[in-house]
Amino acid sequence: RSRSQLMRPDTADYRALFLHDTPLLDTRAPLEFQRGAFPTATNLPLMTDQERHQVGIAYKSKGQAAAITLGHQLVAGETRRSRLQQWCDFAQANPDGYLYCFRGGLRSSTVQHWMRDAGVNYPLVVGGYKAMRRFLLARMEEVLGNLPSLLVGGRTGCGKTRVLHAVGGSIDLEGLARHRGSSFGRLLQPQPAQIDFENALSIALLRRQNAGETRVLMEDEGRMVGRISLPLALRDAMADAAQVVVDEPLESRVEVVYEDYVLDLGSRYREQLGDAGADAHLRHLETGLAGIRKRLGGARHQAIGATLSRAFDTQDGDLHRQWIRDLLVQYYDPMYDYQMRQRGGEVVFRGDRAAVIDYLRAGQPAARRSAG
């Protein structure tokens, strides 16, 4: 491979990195990567967690020179050759990418130097992970402060996420959090780390700004989406944001919940677990029901649970619709009514799902904050 192929300068253009989905080679230790990373990053560490721990002890007790010496002793011989091969393979597969470490310091420059010695010139991100993370947090506050937020609200089952997907140009917070938002909303794949969610959200906001959007369109959410906490800047922006409300009749909402939590979730469980999928699906829903038992009340919890169990035993769609209907009427609708009385923000449009989609596609609301 010729050196000139990969001779690109190091970069501090974080905006371009995130807008263009640039492949990133993360040389931090695995534990650092698990705590927080970027959507296009691949972790190919210079040191394992244990190696980094040993080097850290040496740094504190004997200073930087001793720590560097120990690092070179730990990552030597076949270990070094194997890791170097992985980095070079990444560079060949991702010729437009960049590498980074935590601060853009010793680890990334070491990897860059070793790759250069192997004939591969690969640029690094100046300032590393810390600078990119700081950039994204600042952009989140900037975009949310400058672009008015418009929320899609409505009762459980009205199809708010369907509205977002139909309109486009929106930010799907539940999609980013990999959770449907309700007590039953956990999906089969785990939720991202909190920092990963924040990074992905910041990138989505940056893209809305870069596309020249005049608003940030999102679903109205509570403080938490599963175990993901919405950042304070986002909660502040949502607190008094204008809202379009989706009004759908009860039976329509029952059908949406049935499609999402019985048919779709059931097929996901069967695909992953085969014959054991149905039992796991039932346990998932029973766990969600148990989570709201106190607020639902013992008798109602028991009655809905019994209907849910019979629905699985008989595979009866009508029984499924019955427990969903009971849950909406007895729990989710009263909770929604209470929450609507507490929130600020003007309702700028109200209609069924089709009407709301038409309204948003027409670009009507340059959403404005409520004066109250």
Side-chain angles (χ1 to χ4, degrees):
R1 189 188 300 114
S2 100
R3 286 174 178 264
S4 61
Q5 279 182 298
L6 295 172
M7 288 184 67
R8 294 176 292 123
D10 297 341
T11 187
D13 188 352
Y14 312 127
R15 179 182 294 272
L17 291 175
F18 294 122
L19 287 177
H20 299 146
D21 278 338
T22 306
L24 298 169
L25 194 170
D26 187 319
T27 66
R28 297 176 302 153
L31 191 58
E32 295 174 282
F33 186 83
Q34 289 164 19
R35 288 193 192 115
F38 306 113
T40 61
T42 299
N43 188 215
L44 297 173
L46 171 62
M47 292 182 288
T48 64
D49 295 325
Q50 181 60 31
E51 290 162 353
R52 176 173 171 263
H53 179 65
Q54 290 177 251
V55 168
I57 292 173
Y59 181 86
K60 287 179 182 176
S61 60
K62 300 177 182 176
Q64 185 182 46
I68 292 172
T69 299
L70 177 59
H72 281 275
Q73 290 170 353
L74 292 172
V75 187
E78 183 53 39
T79 298
R80 172 172 162 168
R81 282 190 292 274
S82 172
R83 292 176 194 175
L84 177 59
Q85 186 62 55
Q86 289 183 308
W87 301 325
C88 292
D89 288 346
F90 181 92
Q92 185 172 21
N94 302 281
D96 299 323
Y98 292 83
L99 67 90
Y100 66 89
C101 62
F102 184 67
R103 290 188 180 87
L106 194 57
R107 283 182 286 179
S108 55
S109 60
T110 298
V111 171
Q112 187 181 53
H113 179 71
W114 289 357
M115 292 176 73
R116 187 176 294 132
D117 285 348
V120 177
N121 287 282
Y122 209 59
L124 59 78
V125 179
V126 177
Y129 169 85
K130 191 173 183 181
M132 288 188 281
R133 167 78 172 154
R134 192 184 301 121
F135 169 82
L136 287 179
L137 290 176
R139 294 294 79 70
M140 183 194 297
E141 294 203 7
E142 174 194 299
V143 176
L144 289 171
N146 292 334
L147 285 184
S149 298
L150 179 64
L151 306 181
V152 177
R155 297 178 186 276
T156 299
C158 68
K160 296 181 286 289
T161 303
R162 286 163 167 76
V163 169
L164 294 183
H165 292 173
V167 173
S170 59
I171 294 179
D172 181 0
L173 296 171
E174 293 181 359
L176 294 178
R178 294 202 291 270
H179 194 282
R180 283 180 170 145
S182 72
S183 304
F184 302 84
R186 180 175 54 84
L187 299 173
L188 274 70
Q189 72 269 44
Q191 290 193 261
Q194 177 71 31
I195 290 174
D196 288 1
F197 170 81
E198 292 170 4
N199 288 342
L201 170 62
S202 297
I203 293 168
L205 288 165
L206 189 65
R207 289 188 169 148
R208 299 276 64 75
Q209 182 187 53
N210 191 66
E213 297 282 352
T214 58
R215 68 187 181 204
V216 177
L217 180 65
M218 299 172 288
E219 182 174 337
D220 189 18
E221 297 285 356
R223 190 176 64 84
M224 305 287 292
V225 182
R227 61 168 180 74
I228 294 292
S229 175
L230 297 189
L232 182 59
L234 178 60
R235 297 207 305 269
D236 286 346
M238 297 173 82
D240 60 351
Q243 189 171 163
V244 292
V245 175
V246 183
D247 275 333
E248 286 285 321
L250 176 62
E251 292 310 309
S252 169
R253 295 190 291 121
V254 168
E255 208 58 34
V256 165
V257 176
Y258 177 70
E259 288 171 7
D260 287 350
Y261 288 90
V262 177
L263 300 181
D264 176 66
L265 192 59
S267 69
R268 294 186 192 207
Y269 269 107
R270 286 192 302 276
E271 185 177 325
Q272 181 168 317
L273 300 175
D275 292 341
D279 284 341
H281 182 200
L282 173 58
R283 285 196 303 274
H284 173 118
L285 295 174
E286 287 176 335
T287 300
L289 192 60
I292 59 173
R293 175 175 183 163
K294 188 173 181 181
R295 284 180 289 177
L296 189 60
R300 288 188 297 186
H301 171 268
Q302 189 172 12
I304 292 173
T307 307
L308 171 64
S309 181
R310 287 203 313 278
F312 271 86
D313 287 342
T314 60
Q315 298 184 3
D316 186 334
D318 287 337
L319 279 176
H320 275 298
R321 291 178 178 89
Q322 182 181 324
W323 71 258
I324 292 168
R325 188 179 299 108
D326 291 344
L327 202 54
L328 291 178
V329 170
Q330 297 176 25
Y331 177 74
Y332 281 104
D333 286 359
M335 184 171 64
Y336 174 79
D337 291 338
Y338 172 78
Q339 290 169 342
M340 283 301 288
R341 289 194 295 270
Q342 308 303 310
R343 80 178 314 281
E346 178 186 2
V347 174
V348 295
F349 185 81
R350 184 185 293 273
D352 64 20
R353 194 158 64 239
V356 168
I357 289 170
D358 288 344
Y359 178 75
L360 293 173
R361 281 178 175 168
Q364 292 294 335
R368 55 194 182 278
R369 297 188 187 277
S370 165

